[in-house]
Amino acid sequence: MASGHPLALFLRSLERRSPLSEDDRRAVMGLSFTLRALESSSYLVREGEAPKRCCVLVSGYAYRQKLTADGGRQIVSLHIAGEALDFQNLFLDVSDHSVQMLTNGEVADLDRAQVQNLSRTRAGVGQAILVAILAEGSMFREWVVNVGRRDARTRLAHLLCEVAVRLEAQGLADEKGYALPMTQDQLADALGLTSVHVNRTIKLLEAEGLMMRKRRNISFPDLQQMRRVGDFNERYLHLGRQRSAEAR
Amino acid sequence: MASGHPLALFLRSLERRSPLSEDDRRAVMGLSFTLRALESSSYLVREGEAPKRCCVLVSGYAYRQKLTADGGRQIVSLHIAGEALDFQNLFLDVSDHSVQMLTNGEVADLDRAQVQNLSRTRAGVGQAILVAILAEGSMFREWVVNVGRRDARTRLAHLLCEVAVRLEAQGLADEKGYALPMTQDQLADALGLTSVHVNRTIKLLEAEGLMMRKRRNISFPDLQQMRRVGDFNERYLHLGRQRSAEAR
DNA sequence: CGTACGTTTGATCTTTCTCAATAATGGTGG
DNA sequence: CCACCATTATTGAGAAAGATCAAACGTACG
């Protein structure tokens, strides 16, 4: 990762939506943690288990998933470097989903009790965590819409736009493209499709000149057009500073 | 509603997952509010607008929805009496979705700033709100799975189970059945299907002896079987008292 | 250089959608 | 209480998006 401190990106992601005082910042950066290198597909959280740690993704990608009785898998969110992976479980006893690494990467394990404590004692940090949780909730809602009411082409385009915009907001991608380290199987599970159909849909977008691939790198010649095709409006990402959170 | 105080059910729903002290309870019940009677389909929150109030559903049903560019609609959650409808927007500036009444019913409008304040100053209440938000997030994730990876029959059965279990937990339904005030169009938009197919799927479940209808009342001769068919496990509802929230 | 994993393609099958018509139902005014 | 209207539910027939199955092809890497 570019930045020096493993938690630097995490701090940035918190601050982007909710203001932190100098003290808040120090408190976050002062959190004790252990850095772990993880292989792709290792588990960070397992459905049915009690969350013990509070992980922050330092580098690489991760995703949340749930399984169905008949062996189906649904990916319900993707995560990029700097995002906390356990806010959704921070105050719940048993995890309702699993979190896995999508790529190799590093994770900073924070102490759960310490984070809980910080969120209670430092109002600014608590607010930032809350806002992060709410923004994640909003992304889940959009994911429902994507999977429930859009056709394959729109669905795929939407997902690609979401990742592009989030990476850019986090300073991890430039306008023109990024590496998408997902197999078509994983894309399928994120989109509620089969990998065969994902493959055909990718080909379709390429044929239309909407996206290009070189290895696992994808780029969009015309991001605006891609947004239109993907019915993508970033409002649901709540990327800006939330003023509601400032009132003290 | 059965209980006297309009906020009684709300308090119960908060307390079910997170403990409140006597003072916390008083603070919640002491919230000032205005009671409004609303017709079915009136808006409580509109996508794109800044949330002004903080509504609690006192009686009736409500739902959250988002629209797609091509006019599609996706319902992303249902809400029953006692639930707060604005926690998802409590600290966000502009709403990413709409909330509408499903039936006629009553709503208690709380003052947003007052609720925000309470959540900041009374740790117990803040925890309870946070846990409620997290549990909602979990329900969104399950909704993604339902819509993304289950066939129509399973999907419908799952939704019906969810409503049954939530109503029961809130003390609003007995084991054997409840009134489901949704049209097949609305069910379709909740399930990511068409109303025609919902109709056929309902008929199928009936023919299998899994559900019965009398007017808008539905009942399940064998709830266990229904759960199996709907691939339903209530873990994701996080219905019990969350011990993680107790640590102070 | 061969194995394992991921991608691509073709052929065929299913679920679900679309369109359209008909039947119930519930509520309303007279 | 009845006739009428507007919703909502039901049914049929045909079309389509996406799933399934199976095979061939690439490519990274040990």
Side-chain angles (χ1 to χ4, degrees):
Chain A
M1 246 7 353
S3 342
H5 193 105
L7 297 185
L9 265 179
F10 172 53
L11 184 66
R12 167 167 0 169
S13 83
L14 281 182
E15 278 196 291
R16 192 176 45 239
R17 294 196 179 98
S18 189
L20 294 182
S21 69
E22 196 45 56
D23 281 354
D24 291 336
R25 262 180 234 118
R26 253 194 300 276
V28 170
M29 293 303 273
L31 248 14
S32 52
F33 64 89
T34 319
L35 205 57
R36 271 193 299 163
L38 290 174
E39 307 245 297
S40 86
S41 95
S42 23
Y43 279 86
L44 295 161
V45 178
R46 267 176 205 277
E47 180 169 353
E49 293 191 354
K52 297 167 283 286
R53 317 194 198 73
C54 184
C55 304
V56 166
L57 194 52
V58 172
S59 64
Y61 290 81
Y63 62 93
R64 288 175 205 281
Q65 70 165 69
K66 301 193 75 165
L67 303 173
T68 59
D70 62 345
R73 174 174 75 155
Q74 177 67 48
I75 291 177
V76 300
S77 69
L78 294 179
H79 292 281
I80 67 178
E83 295 181 343
L85 301 175
D86 291 290
F87 283 171
Q88 290 297 324
N89 286 316
L90 198 49
F91 295 101
L92 295 178
D93 291 345
V94 16
S95 178
D96 52 83
H97 66 280
S98 300
V99 180
Q100 274 180 277
M101 291 300 290
L102 181 59
T103 61
N104 296 337
E106 297 160 292
V107 153
D109 289 322
L110 310 180
D111 181 60
R112 192 170 185 248
Q114 207 181 357
V115 175
Q116 288 178 341
N117 205 48
L118 199 59
S119 105
R120 289 191 183 106
T121 53
R122 294 216 62 86
V125 177
Q127 278 303 304
I129 290 177
L130 188 43
V131 169
I133 287 170
L134 291 175
E136 265 198 84
S138 174
M139 291 186 242
F140 293 136
R141 288 190 287 274
E142 184 70 23
W143 206 286
V144 174
V145 176
N146 207 34
V147 154
R149 278 287 182 244
R150 297 205 253 252
D151 65 19
R153 174 167 167 271
T154 312
R155 229 183 269 191
L156 175 58
H158 190 281
L159 180 68
L160 296 179
C161 286
E162 172 171 324
V163 175
V165 169
R166 284 169 60 193
L167 283 173
E168 205 174 337
Q170 189 70 293
L172 296 172
D174 49 36
E175 263 192 21
K176 285 301 173 203
Y178 58 92
L180 186 72
M182 297 178 79
T183 67
Q184 294 179 5
D185 253 316
Q186 291 165 330
L187 272 173
D189 286 335
L191 297 170
L193 299 169
T194 35
S195 61
V196 171
H197 201 63
V198 164
N199 181 276
R200 290 179 170 133
T201 308
I202 289 175
K203 297 255 145 186
L204 174 63
L205 287 179
E206 280 182 318
E208 292 181 283
L210 287 164
M211 69 179 275
M212 283 159 31
R213 283 180 300 168
K214 199 182 292 174
R215 303 289 149 117
R216 282 277 169 80
N217 274 71
I218 60 175
S219 55
F220 313 122
D222 182 352
L223 188 58
Q224 279 320 306
Q225 184 58 19
M226 195 65 177
R227 281 176 187 247
R228 223 165 294 127
V229 168
D231 186 17
F232 183 83
N233 177 324
E234 69 194 58
R235 170 158 56 213
Y236 77 96
L237 293 175
H238 299 281
L239 284 172
R241 186 65 59 92
Q242 303 297 305
R243 312 209 67 246
S244 307
E246 286 179 45
R248 283 289 150 67
Chain B
M1 235 27 330
S3 341
H5 193 105
L7 297 184
L9 264 178
F10 173 53
L11 184 68
R12 169 171 353 172
S13 83
L14 281 181
E15 278 196 291
R16 193 176 46 237
R17 294 196 179 98
S18 188
L20 294 182
S21 69
E22 195 46 55
D23 281 353
D24 291 335
R25 261 180 235 120
R26 253 194 300 278
V28 170
M29 294 302 273
L31 248 16
S32 52
F33 63 89
T34 319
L35 205 57
R36 272 193 299 164
L38 290 174
E39 306 246 298
S40 87
S41 96
S42 22
Y43 280 86
L44 294 161
V45 179
R46 266 175 205 276
E47 180 169 352
E49 294 191 353
K52 297 167 284 287
R53 318 195 197 71
C54 183
C55 304
V56 166
L57 194 52
V58 172
S59 64
Y61 290 81
Y63 62 93
R64 289 176 205 280
Q65 68 164 69
K66 300 193 75 165
L67 303 174
T68 59
D70 64 345
R73 175 173 74 155
Q74 178 67 48
I75 291 177
V76 300
S77 69
L78 293 179
H79 292 281
I80 66 179
E83 296 181 342
L85 301 175
D86 292 290
F87 283 170
Q88 291 297 324
N89 287 315
L90 197 50
F91 294 101
L92 295 178
D93 290 345
V94 16
S95 179
D96 52 82
H97 65 281
S98 300
V99 182
Q100 275 180 278
M101 291 298 291
L102 180 59
T103 61
N104 296 338
E106 296 160 293
V107 152
D109 291 321
L110 309 180
D111 181 61
R112 192 170 185 247
Q114 208 181 356
V115 176
Q116 287 179 340
N117 205 47
L118 199 60
S119 106
R120 289 191 184 106
T121 54
R122 294 217 62 86
V125 177
Q127 279 303 305
I129 290 178
L130 188 42
V131 168
I133 287 170
L134 292 174
E136 265 197 85
S138 175
M139 290 186 243
F140 292 136
R141 289 190 287 275
E142 184 71 23
W143 207 285
V144 173
V145 176
N146 206 36
V147 154
R149 277 288 181 246
R150 296 205 253 251
D151 66 19
R153 173 166 166 271
T154 312
R155 228 182 269 191
L156 175 59
H158 190 281
L159 180 67
L160 297 179
C161 285
E162 172 171 325
V163 175
V165 169
R166 285 169 61 193
L167 283 173
E168 205 174 339
Q170 189 71 294
L172 296 173
D174 49 37
E175 262 191 22
K176 286 300 174 202
Y178 58 91
L180 186 73
M182 297 177 79
T183 66
Q184 294 179 4
D185 254 315
Q186 291 165 331
L187 272 173
D189 286 335
L191 297 170
L193 298 169
T194 37
S195 61
V196 171
H197 200 63
V198 164
N199 181 278
R200 290 180 170 131
T201 308
I202 289 176
K203 297 252 145 187
L204 174 63
L205 287 179
E206 279 183 319
E208 292 180 284
L210 287 165
M211 69 178 276
M212 283 158 31
R213 282 181 299 170
K214 200 181 293 174
R215 303 288 150 119
R216 283 276 169 82
N217 274 71
I218 61 175
S219 55
F220 313 123
D222 182 352
L223 188 58
Q224 279 319 305
Q225 184 58 19
M226 195 66 176
R227 281 177 187 246
R228 224 165 295 127
V229 168
D231 187 16
F232 184 83
N233 178 324
E234 68 194 58
R235 170 157 58 212
Y236 76 95
L237 294 175
H238 300 280
L239 283 173
R241 187 63 62 91
Q242 302 297 305
R243 311 210 67 246
S244 308
E246 286 179 44
R248 284 289 149 68

